[in-house]
Amino acid sequence: MTLESQILQAVQRVLPENGEPKPLHAPVFQGNESKYVQETIESTWVSSAGTYVNKLQEDLCSFTGINRAVAVVNGTAALQLALFAAGVEQGDEVLVPALTFVATANAVSHTGAVPHFVDVEESSLGIDVSKLETYLKQHAIVTSEGSYNKHTGRWIRAVVPMHTFGHPAFINQLRSTADRFHLKIVEDAAEALGSYEGGRHIGQLGDVAAVSFNGNKIITTGGGGAVLTNNKDMADKVEHLASTAKVSHSFEFVHDEVGYNYRMPNINAALGCAQLEQLPFFLKTKRKLAGQYAEALSEISGISFIKEREGTKSNYWLNGLLLNDPDMEQRDHIIKKLHDHQILARPVWKPMHYLEMYRDMPKMDLTQTESLYARIINLPSGVM
Ligand SMILES: *Cc1c(COP(=O)(O)O)cnc(C)c1O
């Protein structure tokens, strides 16, 4: 039997057969969503203030064990504000994995900084820390005020590890490299709510993290995101920038810098509170689905199922399989075969340095990113 037929059969054994197309994700609303959203409408508190925004922030803190959460309009805005809080300014460079969703690089661009692409490694699908360390030793100059790129002369202010599909990147190892080169760690945890490294929730080990509550993420607020940090000054700065940099005053409109209108509306936060109540159930269901895929695919030679790295707990937001060898033609054959049967599998994102607007950005050798691009196939991962 061909590889694509073997994979199709295995995936069909896992997914319920109800004749419906199987997207990568679909949100599930089985809890208090209608009730809470209805309450915001009845109270007229639907916009950028209200009790659900505070509740969502408090609930996120208790779920993650992180001191502060600031709810904002989406994950990209959360990342942009997190970068500002980390001291990133126009004209700086920020290290970003080339294997990521475009929003990671876009958020850097939105601050006026330049994304500088770094490679990933296979076990975490996140930044290859030892490769980064070697690279920085060759290309960055360390001063008491920070490190700069010796070719471009720009400050390298921060590194943005991304937890791919919910699998924790190597933040512990990254910490010593980041410290050596005076870089802040801004975690793109958009996909990683409910993921843990050594028992600590993602976002605990970096300086500041951004999560997303877009419709395809593990919980949704329609559109939304949050900045998570244990650093009070960073949280205050994010809150300030997200609310038009408004200075507290009993009646005057006073703003002390160019701010943003990025606060999450209360109506979205209401949806989020109801979703967060169900997160433990979503995590359980996703883990079960991942286990079923792992087993069904285990017999097939030439591929492997993407599993959580040892010592970590993934939220298994998005399941995927890995071809042993990079082969775009084979990858696309498999995807097409699955699509023929309503299983809407997808390749991973096109690497950032292949995209028109990011082609000429600074970058290291990206061999592993390019190889993984031709090996990863994501599978339907919704809670069913
Ligand atoms: C979803 C996502 C984002 C952006 O979140 P939005 O809420 O859609 O703006 C950023 N980075 C990664 C890796 C994502 O998956």
Side-chain angles (χ1 to χ4, degrees):
M1 212 191 322
T2 61
L3 182 59
E4 51 266 33
S5 298
Q6 290 178 66
I7 292 171
L8 173 66
Q9 284 194 358
V11 172
Q12 281 178 326
R13 264 186 275 135
V14 172
L15 298 177
E17 272 181 72
N18 50 16
E20 291 189 9
K22 302 287 186 298
L24 287 192
H25 314 270
V28 171
F29 302 119
Q30 293 174 338
N32 289 316
E33 285 87 353
S34 302
K35 179 166 170 255
Y36 294 172
V37 169
Q38 191 66 35
E39 266 172 42
T40 68
I41 294 168
E42 279 161 13
S43 70
T44 78
W45 287 94
V46 295
S47 197
S48 53
T51 52
Y52 280 110
V53 175
N54 294 333
K55 181 170 166 27
L56 180 63
Q57 293 179 165
E58 284 161 18
D59 291 353
L60 284 167
C61 289
S62 46
F63 183 84
T64 59
I66 297 172
N67 293 344
R68 294 278 296 277
V70 183
V72 297
V73 289
N74 59 54
T76 312
L79 205 50
Q80 185 191 353
L81 295 181
L83 288 159
F84 280 136
V88 171
E89 291 179 2
Q90 176 145 21
D92 289 342
E93 282 181 20
V94 174
L95 302 167
V96 171
L99 191 76
T100 188
F101 177 58
V102 70
T104 318
N106 285 347
V108 170
S109 302
H110 296 160
T111 67
V114 172
H116 183 152
F117 298 117
V118 303
D119 208 8
V120 298
E121 58 76 47
E122 185 174 332
S123 73
S124 67
L125 304 178
I127 290 178
D128 183 331
V129 178
S130 60
K131 188 167 176 176
L132 177 62
E133 171 98 26
T134 308
Y135 178 74
L136 288 174
K137 278 182 183 152
Q138 286 164 359
H139 300 281
I141 308 285
V142 185
T143 76
S144 56
E145 289 160 70
S147 299
Y148 64 90
N149 180 333
K150 74 176 183 193
H151 309 291
T152 64
R154 288 187 288 246
W155 293 108
I156 306 174
R157 291 291 184 204
V159 54
V160 187
M162 196 278 279
H163 304 288
T164 309
F165 312 149
H167 298 295
F170 284 95
I171 307 291
N172 265 332
Q173 285 82 341
L174 186 59
R175 172 54 70 192
S176 60
T177 304
D179 287 350
R180 182 162 308 132
F181 291 92
H182 308 300
L183 308 172
K184 287 280 191 286
I185 300 179
V186 179
E187 295 181 55
D188 183 343
E191 308 179 353
L193 188 68
S195 296
Y196 297 81
E197 162 99 49
R200 303 179 75 187
H201 193 278
I202 289 307
Q204 286 277 15
L205 299 167
D207 294 293
V208 56
V211 292
S212 167
F213 308 126
N214 192 40
N216 62 345
K217 297 304 200 294
I218 192 150
I219 64 165
T220 186
T221 58
V227 176
L228 306 174
T229 181
N230 285 318
N231 183 312
K232 181 185 180 298
D233 293 340
M234 283 192 180
D236 289 346
K237 171 138 192 191
V238 167
E239 225 160 51
H240 188 63
L241 283 175
S243 26
T244 62
K246 188 175 186 306
V247 179
S248 161
H249 189 284
S250 51
F251 51 85
E252 278 274 22
F253 294 100
V254 186
H255 308 265
D256 63 0
E257 60 184 304
V258 180
Y260 297 83
N261 178 16
Y262 280 176
R263 291 284 294 176
M264 180 186 283
N266 200 43
I267 190 166
N268 297 83
L271 191 61
C273 287
Q275 285 271 285
L276 195 51
E277 290 170 357
Q278 294 163 81
L279 181 54
F281 164 73
F282 293 158
L283 289 168
K284 215 169 96 187
T285 317
K286 292 241 181 207
R287 175 162 292 272
K288 189 171 150 215
L289 179 63
Q292 289 168 337
Y293 273 133
E295 169 152 11
L297 296 164
S298 65
E299 308 281 275
I300 304 173
S301 58
I303 64 160
S304 59
F305 179 71
I306 300 172
K307 290 203 183 97
E308 66 196 352
R309 178 165 63 78
E310 211 175 315
T312 71
K313 194 163 182 191
S314 174
N315 64 3
Y316 281 108
W317 168 66
L318 189 55
N319 291 299
L321 63 81
L322 212 47
L323 304 178
N324 287 1
D325 302 306
D327 185 342
M328 293 290 267
E329 212 176 316
Q330 177 73 269
R331 184 198 78 170
D332 292 352
H333 269 140
I334 296 167
I335 291 172
K336 282 191 193 122
K337 181 86 177 180
L338 292 169
H339 279 224
D340 287 345
H341 294 80
Q342 305 265 68
I343 295 162
L344 306 180
R346 298 280 295 271
V348 74
W349 316 281
K350 192 178 271 265
M352 294 303 102
H353 63 296
Y354 287 167
L355 301 178
E356 183 75 34
M357 66 285 192
Y358 291 131
R359 197 161 287 160
D360 299 324
M361 299 294 127
K363 56 178 179 282
M364 67 158 70
D365 165 80
L366 298 169
T367 307
Q368 195 54 248
T369 296
E370 289 166 5
S371 163
L372 286 165
Y373 172 53
R375 296 175 59 201
I376 295 172
I377 296 173
N378 287 120
L379 298 169
S381 302
V383 169
M384 280 160 285

